[in-house]
Amino acid sequence: NLTGRFQEAFRKLTGKKELSEKNMSEAFADIRNALLEADVNLEVVNQFMDDVKQACIGQEVLKSVTPGQQTVKIVHDKLIELMGSSTAELNLGGEPAVIMLCGLHGSGKTTTSAKLAHFLQKKHRKRVMLAACDVYRPAAIDQLEVLGRELSLPVYSDRQCQDVPLLAQRALQEAKDRGRDLLIIDTAGRLQVDEILVQELVELKDIVRPHEILLVADSALGQEAVSVAKHFDQALDLSGIILTKLDGDARGGAALSMRQSTGKPIKFVTVGERIIDLETFHPDRMASRILG
Amino acid sequence: FSDVERWDEASYARLEATLISTDLGPSVSRRIVADVRDKYERGLINTDADILDSARTLILDILCRDGIQPIRLNENGPTVILLVGVNGSGKTTSAAKLTYHFRKLGKTIVLGAGDTFRAAGVTQLQLWGERLDCPVIGAPQGSDSAAVAFDAIKSGIQKKADFVIIDTAGRQHTRTDLMDELLKVKRICGKALPGAPHEIWLTVDASIGSNSLVQAKEFGKVFPITGLILTKLDGSGKGGVVVAIKEELGYPVQFIGLGEQMGDLQLFDPEMFVKAMF
Ligand SMILES: Nc1nc2c(ncn2[C@@H]2O[C@H](COP(=O)(O)OP(=O)(O)OP(=O)(O)O)[C@@H](O)[C@H]2O)c(=O)[nH]1
Ligand SMILES: Nc1nc2c(ncn2[C@@H]2O[C@H](COP(=O)(O)OP(=O)(O)OP(=O)(O)O)[C@@H](O)[C@H]2O)c(=O)[nH]1
Ligand SMILES: [Mg+2]
Ligand SMILES: [Mg+2]
């Protein structure tokens, strides 16, 4: 892991008064490489390393720790600071409140809608309704209906309707008529560069005015994480991000990439396929994971 | 790169950045830049076009090493293809696309809807089967996945089908219980038809980074992976990680997925892939 590698690089720094760019270049190269291997986007890494150098250079070498430990702590703290807080709240003030999920194919939107419904039902005693607005994928509606049944929650769907914004509008009306106080809208997976399908989400947003628009993103995303986050954010002004599949062993550098490039908060993570496998985001745990 | 007069540190940094952006990984990228730089400094290549071509050639060499492996066709019954991979990587859709692909070559197929775990896992493939007019063997959610594989192969034998394609539930390799289940599915395939499965293909999502290499390593510890299907290459991901997979593990890409429709599958063409990479 990173700390161990630095012990080596920093053995050379013993006796030095200050951390300087010169005597730390090898350590910085190591950190840079660790972040790239964690799949953090290259431009994000370069930006982060500039910030780290600023924070490190000129610092007095502390007596109680090795320079290696000291640098890792600076990097770790900087990473946590960048990741944002773990208190990102959901805006659920509507009658009903509306949450819209979006993201690439297979990122976990449909299962996350159900997990989020369960979580908010338990935590805030919300009366949730789910809206099956993926009209493209075979059995997408079936999938959400099965999940809704498992949760004993109503699912709005209409297999005859191919007009997604209209479908969502009807779902919202249905939620109002049935006295539900939260509507969670599942949408089809789409490429962030598919202008027509991204426009469909923009129209969906205009019609139902969601209180939360959350990007559901696979934590194992590679260098494209920045493009994915920025495109969805620029089109929709996201209110947050949900990172999925953290029960895998991806280092999760995409978290830093997406957070850094959009400034939007990571609100939840999912850690498995069970309904209960949704947790609030912990920036410190994510930082440690990325550093390996 | 085309306005580069002579190659210097900045040009090499830009080349490394380009390679890293394709998810080739920092160490493979660094190594390729070093190899190219070595050739340039020894005067073996001169222009910026040479440099890019040289990088492409190095990557192509890795992809084409050991030649092209054709599908291991079974002489005594259907050829059984088992599709495995992490959650959401494109297995079910690829099963449908492969059916369409082989169908166009005049082959007959039986599909095994082996995802008996996920909500509508079986239903999804059954709907594809209806669109493709292809028989699908399934079972209710919660039933034994290996039993579906067994029944699908038996049905394929009985129908004298050319291929039996078995879909499995998505899983993370970090779950040893689920990896054990996959091994059981493989074993049961062999019980239904000795020698089956003849191909085990791992779906790799082109938007994912270095974890795909870990996935290939870990799935490959359960049984030999005989090929990859690189999905979602119509997206912005370049799928460079398959180069690392080929180099370290020897698994070749067999097909690429270029969309959500049944026709959006192509045989892997290494040259086209490398040209599209950068
Ligand atoms: N292991 C694991 N699997 C997950 C997690 N979240 C979702 N999945 C699985 O990932 C796969 C894809 O999930 P879906 O909810 O269908 O993804 P989606 O974004 O709705 O997919 P599309 O609608 O096709 O774009 C399924 O197998 C889910 O069970 C997670 O946190 N961990
Ligand atoms: N754009 C694009 N989408 C694809 C491609 N292959 C699959 N998909 C989409 O990716 C999503 C997931 O595909 P599935 O076939 O359900 O993936 P899976 O591996 O079977 O998922 P699980 O069974 O839940 O693990 C669906 O929305 C598919 O339409 C591809 O090549 N390009
Ligand atoms: Mg879905
Ligand atoms: Mg599937």
Side-chain angles (χ1 to χ4, degrees), chain A residues 33 36-37 39 42 105-106 137-139 142-143 146-147 191-192 218 220-224 245 247-250 273, chain B residues 17 20 23 26 30 87 117-120 124 127-128 172-174 207-211 214 232 234-237 260:
Chain A
N33 197 49
L36 287 174
E37 287 183 355
D39 296 313
L42 179 57
H105 306 88
R137 169 173 151 156
D142 299 79
Q143 186 183 0
V146 170
L147 293 172
L191 301 176
Q192 81 278 17
D218 194 318
L221 280 177
Q223 294 291 308
E224 288 306 305
K245 307 177 200 171
D247 48 314
D249 57 8
E273 295 189 82
Chain B
I20 288 175
D23 284 317
R30 203 159 295 140
N87 308 82
F117 170 76
R118 207 203 66 209
Q124 187 184 356
L127 286 176
W128 274 115
Q172 298 293 322
H173 47 275
T174 44
S207 66
I208 300 303
S210 62
N211 195 248
V214 183
K232 309 182 198 173
D234 50 316
S236 59
E260 301 191 72

Side-chain angles (χ1 to χ4, degrees), chain A residues 250-290:
Chain A
R251 293 270 290 280
L256 179 60
S257 300
M258 296 192 288
R259 169 85 184 130
Q260 182 76 321
S261 57
T262 64
K264 296 300 163 79
I266 298 172
K267 297 199 173 184
F268 295 100
V269 298
T270 66
V271 293
E273 295 189 82
R274 300 170 308 173
I275 283 288
I276 54 171
D277 290 331
L278 179 124
E279 301 171 355
T280 49
F281 176 63
H282 292 277
D284 51 340
R285 283 188 217 163
M286 196 74 220
S288 303
R289 180 177 179 134
I290 289 177

Side-chain angles (χ1 to χ4, degrees), chain B residues 232-273:
Chain B
K232 309 182 198 173
L233 209 47
D234 50 316
S236 59
K238 299 287 186 193
V241 70
V242 301
V243 178
I245 294 175
K246 178 67 167 49
E247 186 167 53
E248 278 193 47
L249 305 170
Y251 307 150
V253 177
Q254 301 281 20
F255 289 94
I256 59 175
L258 292 165
E260 301 191 72
Q261 306 310 324
M262 56 176 79
D264 294 332
L265 186 84
Q266 286 180 11
L267 228 38
F268 184 59
D269 178 337
E271 289 209 18
M272 292 218 48
F273 176 76

Side-chain angles (χ1 to χ4, degrees), chain B residues 80 144 146-147 149-155 157 166 183-198:
Chain B
V80 178
D144 179 18
F150 187 91
D151 292 346
I153 294 174
K154 286 303 188 193
S155 170
I157 291 170
I166 301 178
L183 185 58
K184 177 179 167 209
V185 171
K186 171 188 187 283
R187 229 179 5 87
I188 298 298
C189 285
K191 289 252 182 303
L193 174 63
H198 306 92

Side-chain angles (χ1 to χ4, degrees), chain A residues 109-111 134 137 140 143 186-189:
Chain A
K109 299 173 292 299
T110 305
T111 37
D134 178 355
R137 169 173 151 156
Q143 186 183 0
D186 181 27
T187 64

